[in-house]
Structure formats: C-alpha cells, structure tokens
Amino acid sequence: MTKSRLKKKWFLGIMLFIVAMGIVSSLVLDSIVKNFLMKQVPEQTQGRYFLEIESLSCSIFQRKLHLFSTKLLPLSGQNIGSQAVFSIEIGELELAGVQIWRLIRNKELVINQVNILDPLIAIKRGIELDTLGNDNASGKKENIPFIQVNGFNIKNAHFTVIGHDSTNSIAASDASFSLQGFIYDPQSLSSPPFDFEDFSLSVKDYSMALPDSFYTLQASAVTATAESESITISGLELVPIYDIHQFMEKKREQADRLNVFVKELTLQGLDFDRILEKELVASFVTIDSLNLVAYRDKRYILPSEKYVKFPQQ
C-alpha cells in the first residue's frame, strides 16, 4: 500500500470521525444544554422564575447556540410583595462565537455575537419602583462574572411596563437596539463598571403615563446613537388623560390643562455617561413646530400656595 493511499484513508477516517461526533453531539448535546438551562434558571432566581424552550440547537464546532420560542416566566402564585416581576418571550435567540473554555475555566462570559429577534418584554412594577426582584433588594451581593459581547442586536421588540395597580405605565413597539464592544468587568475601579464602543436605538409608538396620573407622554418615533451623540424624538405629544370637565373635577382647583405637540425634538452633543448618572447634558437642542393649548377654568379656587390673603386676613 502506497503512502498516498494510506494518507487518504487516514484523512477519510478523520473526516468520518468528525461527522460522527457532530451527529452525536447534535443528538445528545442539545438535550443536555436545554435541560441544564431550564434547571439553572429556578436555582439562580431562588424559585421565582422558570424557563421554557421549544427547541434548541447547539454546535461545538461552530461555537453557536440557537434557541427558538424561549420564555422566561414568573412562577404563578408566588408572593412578589413590593418587588417588580418581569416576563420575557423571545422568538429567536442566537449566540455565536461563545468561548466555552473561558466560561468553564475562568467563569468569564465572552461572546462574539448575540442576536435577539421578536422579543416581548413585560414588567409589572412593585410598590417600590426601584426593585426588580434581584439580590440587591434583599441585601445580598451579586456575583456577576466578567462579560464581553462584541455585538449585541435586538430587533422587533415590544416592551410594556405595568404599574402595581395593573395599569399600563410605559409601552413601546417595533424597537431595535444595537450595542458594540460591550465589556462588564466586576473588578473595574470605574463607575459604572462597564463600557461600550457604540450603540444605536430605535423605538416606535412610545407612550408613558406620567406619575401625576393626568397626562400621557407619547412619541411616534425615538432614535439615538452614541456615535452622533444625539437623540431625535418625532411626534412628541403631552396628552391629557381626561376631558376638560373631568380634569377640573379631579383637580378641584385652578390648574392649566395642557395639550402640547412637538413635530421633532433633537438633542445634540449628549454626554451619555452623564445620562447613566441620571443627568441630562446637551450642547444643542432643536425644537421644530411647537403647538401648545392651555385651558383653565377660573370658577375653581386658586391652589393654596398661590392664594394671596387680603390685608384684613
């Protein structure tokens, strides 16, 4: 037997072995990974949530994980108390370029690309609006590993926040979000301990019920990018929830009932680091076509802080 034929047999044997391993891994590994994920969610959330996965595809050679019709749901009948509770349904989730050895060896989550398609996100607020049922709310220290995601994309997302009184407070549809070069380092001395190279955001049909329960803030479209350091809001409206008579009856004192419409509002030169610190700093603001209508019924009394007493009083 010549050396060339021997090499061909060795090459063919290796290829058959790789194909056989791929078939076995696709049959066995998918089930192992699926059961592992569904088991880990209740354990990591102290039994508050469970995971449903319709189907899963895992490839070691391509370093890909593909999930279809995935649901993260709260356990029914649990007592959330003052904490918020959320549910997430994702049509398709793809993780590509997962560095498995760094996850196993160093407990570092490094992923080249994350793609999320058709997510439905709903959050029901608790009485304490700043808690989401995480460990910080109970005083426990979070154990978040090092995370690096080179590309993160969300498409066609729908988002709803429901108040603790079961009324919708925030809603948005057809949202897209892209994040590039994201790194979270728990050992970092900077605050916040994460950084990113660029991001872009696009949202349609945004609405938010304001805390005073008298107005709704609406926008037909919102776009933002870190590269341009700008946010553009189209079709911005401040809409009263009640008609004129109901508004005044509920106020029970003189107050301006406002209708405001802005065709387009643009903020440029934004410092997004300051936004993360709950500070809005912009170098330039452009307002296109502002319409404002104010109504006040003066048959009602003035507010106590604006009431001026007569000298004899």
Side-chain angles (χ1 to χ4, degrees):
M1 184 179 293
T2 62
K3 291 184 178 181
S4 60
R5 289 184 178 180
L6 185 61
K7 287 182 180 180
K8 288 181 180 180
K9 286 189 175 182
W10 272 105
F11 177 76
L12 182 60
I14 292 172
M15 292 300 297
L16 290 174
F17 176 77
I18 293 175
V19 171
M21 287 296 296
I23 295 174
V24 172
S25 64
S26 64
L27 295 175
V28 178
L29 189 61
D30 293 356
S31 178
I32 294 174
V33 173
K34 180 179 179 180
N35 292 332
F36 174 79
L37 293 175
M38 295 177 67
K39 181 180 178 181
Q40 283 295 308
V41 169
E43 292 181 358
Q44 296 298 323
T45 61
Q46 291 76 48
R48 290 194 297 265
Y49 295 91
F50 66 96
L51 186 67
E52 291 184 357
I53 302 173
E54 182 176 302
S55 62
L56 179 149
S57 175
C58 183
S59 173
I60 293 179
F61 302 110
Q62 295 180 348
R63 296 187 299 164
K64 282 187 178 182
L65 181 63
H66 222 141
L67 291 82
F68 300 91
S69 298
T70 305
K71 298 179 181 180
L72 179 65
L73 302 171
L75 187 66
S76 60
Q78 64 172 321
N79 183 16
I80 301 300
S82 62
Q83 298 176 350
V85 60
F86 61 89
S87 62
I88 302 174
E89 299 183 17
I90 299 176
E92 186 176 345
L93 170 62
E94 180 186 25
L95 288 79
V98 182
Q99 297 191 18
I100 300 174
W101 291 117
R102 289 188 66 173
L103 180 62
I104 296 174
R105 195 171 42 182
N106 304 326
K107 295 184 178 179
E108 296 178 350
L109 182 59
V110 180
I111 304 173
N112 184 45
Q113 191 76 25
V114 178
N115 297 316
I116 300 175
L117 184 63
D118 298 331
L120 301 176
I121 303 170
I123 298 175
K124 185 169 184 180
R125 283 176 163 175
I127 297 174
E128 298 177 10
L129 301 184
D130 58 346
T131 60
L132 274 172
N134 54 26
D135 291 339
N136 283 341
S138 59
K140 296 180 181 179
K141 185 178 179 181
E142 292 186 349
N143 186 22
I144 302 177
F146 174 89
I147 299 174
Q148 178 179 333
V149 181
N150 296 329
F152 183 89
N153 298 299
I154 297 177
K155 293 183 179 180
N156 195 29
H158 296 266
F159 183 81
T160 304
V161 177
I162 303 172
H164 62 87
D165 56 354
S166 298
T167 59
N168 285 6
S169 54
I170 300 176
S173 64
D174 197 13
S176 298
F177 178 75
S178 177
L179 183 66
Q180 305 297 324
F182 174 82
I183 294 179
Y184 174 86
D185 187 358
Q187 305 299 325
S188 175
L189 299 177
S190 61
S191 180
F194 63 84
D195 194 13
F196 56 88
E197 295 177 0
D198 190 21
F199 86 90
S200 62
L201 171 69
S202 174
V203 177
K204 294 182 179 179
D205 299 328
Y206 175 86
S207 66
M208 179 179 69
L210 298 184
D212 63 2
S213 302
F214 283 90
Y215 292 95
T216 298
L217 187 66
Q218 301 177 356
S220 59
V222 179
T223 58
T225 60
E227 184 179 3
S228 63
E229 298 180 342
S230 66
I231 294 177
T232 301
I233 306 173
S234 302
L236 180 63
E237 292 185 82
L238 182 66
V239 182
I241 296 175
Y242 306 103
D243 62 29
I244 292 174
H245 301 294
Q246 290 177 327
F247 187 92
M248 294 302 169
E249 287 177 359
K250 290 183 178 294
K251 282 289 188 179
R252 296 186 178 181
E253 60 185 18
Q254 287 190 33
D256 291 325
R257 179 182 180 273
L258 304 175
N259 282 86
V260 183
F261 175 79
V262 178
K263 183 179 179 181
E264 188 171 272
L265 172 66
T266 303
L267 292 85
Q268 295 175 318
L270 284 168
D271 188 340
F272 285 100
D273 291 334
R274 299 283 290 274
I275 291 178
L276 295 174
E277 298 172 1
K278 299 182 180 180
E279 297 179 2
L280 181 60
V281 178
S283 61
F284 198 75
V285 178
T286 304
I287 298 176
D288 181 10
S289 303
L290 170 64
N291 295 327
L292 187 150
V293 178
Y295 173 85
R296 175 180 291 203
D297 193 336
K298 293 188 176 182
R299 293 175 295 179
Y300 288 84
I301 62 172
L302 286 168
S304 57
E305 67 272 11
K306 295 184 179 180
Y307 183 79
V308 180
K309 292 183 178 182
F310 291 105
Q312 62 268 31
Q313 294 177 308

